Amino acid sequence: MTPPPADACDAHPLSAAHYADRAAFEQAEILENVEIARGTYRTRVAAPEVVGRIFPGQFLMVRLAGQNDPLLGRPFAMYDVVRDASGAAVALDFVWVVGGKLTTALASRQPGDTVEIWGPLGNGFALEAPLDHAIFVAGGIGQTPFLALGKELLGKAGYGRDAARAARVTLCYGVRTSDLLAGESDFRSAGIDLCVASDDGSIGHHGLVTDLLTQTLDEAAAGEKLQVVCCGPEPMMEAVAGLCATRDAACLVSLETPMACGVGVCFSCVARVVDEDGEWDYKRTCVDGPVFDAKRIVW
């Protein structure tokens, strides 16, 4: 399925820069569904239409095929792209935590089962090149969009676009306890420096992930071009945004505002965002985001 031209999408009365008319819908076969941390799963699906268009920071909506409970899909960030021997993108991974009805049911799905997906959705990450150091800050399940982005910045994966490059990528990753740390080997294998904080001290730094960010920023050399990118619980993102503001460090946040439709129709995922005129307005996270300049968010 070929997406409509940009001008056709922009003519829509509710258009946004990343309106969902450009998404594809697929019945996707599950290839793998494995637990990678306590209550945290990595699901791999064969999705040639979606995977050929998606890039880091975008997301997809997932619905259980053949079921109407739950009726609506749920949003999942793209974790990684799987390529065949020729380098062609053939499947994608998304990582998630068991919580509600859909994820509880999804945990029991086996290879060969089918899910309905539509995407890519959202604006994704667009970083300015070149960077000396990209610093990711994640809390909870907020690490999920950063593996693909880190690979792209380090030149280890491409997504059919001109992308920024970074000499170094660091992930500051905060968890409640050690058995919730998900994807550690994936990040290290990609060449991403991993710094971990835990609330209970069971792994890494005993304290807040913002402590790790402070230390990383303190260690930056004078004149280095830095970019902080953050995803996780809103209080953590607000704290990161405030810290970056005091250091005059560029910061992007990927909001985790709950979404009901993912396509900009229901207006359930609005966030207060400052416009160019200095006044704030409600923006839909699913089509105007989920990635925003941290300075523009009204927390």
Side-chain angles (χ1 to χ4, degrees):
M1 184 178 75
T2 302
D7 55 358
C9 298
D10 294 340
H12 193 282
L14 293 179
S15 71
H18 305 277
Y19 198 66
D21 285 353
R22 300 186 180 104
F25 176 88
E26 292 189 77
Q27 298 277 348
E29 180 185 354
I30 294 175
L31 304 177
E32 295 181 10
N33 195 29
V34 294
E35 190 172 18
I36 61 173
R38 176 164 56 90
T40 305
Y41 287 75
R42 176 182 55 78
T43 302
R44 177 169 297 172
V45 294
E49 288 287 339
V50 173
V51 77
R53 306 178 190 183
I54 201 165
F55 57 83
Q58 292 188 296
F59 67 96
L60 57 150
M61 297 293 288
V62 178
R63 185 176 179 275
L64 300 176
Q67 294 188 206
N68 59 12
D69 186 20
L71 179 63
L72 300 176
R74 299 292 186 269
F76 297 91
M78 186 265 286
Y79 181 65
D80 202 6
V81 165
V82 181
R83 302 177 190 276
D84 63 17
S86 69
V90 294
L92 63 82
D93 294 342
F94 56 96
V95 170
W96 47 277
V97 172
V98 175
K101 184 176 292 186
L102 184 142
T103 50
T104 298
L106 186 59
S108 65
R109 293 302 190 265
Q110 300 296 318
D113 290 341
T114 302
V115 291
E116 297 174 352
I117 68 171
W118 54 101
L121 301 167
N123 59 357
F125 299 116
L127 278 60
E128 295 184 5
L131 293 171
D132 294 305
H133 194 178
I135 305 167
F136 305 154
V137 186
I141 198 65
Q143 88 285 7
T144 53
F146 292 145
L147 179 62
L149 179 60
K151 286 183 174 182
E152 184 180 48
L153 289 171
L154 293 171
K156 297 185 176 182
Y159 298 89
R161 63 173 184 169
D162 292 330
R165 292 290 184 263
R168 180 185 176 195
V169 177
T170 297
L171 171 61
C172 301
Y173 182 8
V175 294
R176 294 197 310 275
T177 190
S178 60
D179 64 357
L180 295 176
L181 185 68
E184 176 182 8
S185 61
D186 295 334
F187 290 102
R188 294 195 191 279
S189 297
I192 298 169
D193 298 331
L194 181 62
C195 305
V196 178
S198 57
D199 292 348
D200 63 359
S202 57
I203 189 170
H205 170 71
H206 187 182
L208 300 176
V209 71
T210 47
D211 299 337
L212 299 178
L213 175 60
T214 298
Q215 179 180 344
T216 304
L217 292 174
D218 285 344
E219 293 173 351
E224 273 194 309
K225 185 172 182 182
L226 307 178
Q227 174 68 65
V228 177
V229 187
C230 180
C231 184
E234 186 170 305
M236 184 210 75
M237 290 195 289
E238 182 179 1
V240 169
L243 178 59
C244 289
T246 63
R247 302 297 189 91
D248 197 26
C251 180
L252 297 175
V253 292
S254 180
L255 300 184
E256 293 188 323
T257 311
M259 303 175 192
C261 73
V263 296
V265 174
C266 69
F267 285 77
S268 67
C269 64
V270 293
R272 294 189 297 172
V273 179
V274 177
D275 287 326
E276 298 300 328
D277 60 5
E279 299 295 326
W280 70 264
D281 196 1
Y282 287 113
K283 301 292 184 182
R284 292 164 291 172
T285 301
C286 62
V287 290
D288 295 302
V291 180
F292 295 94
D293 186 333
K295 296 192 298 292
R296 296 182 60 195
I297 300 296
V298 180
W299 300 101

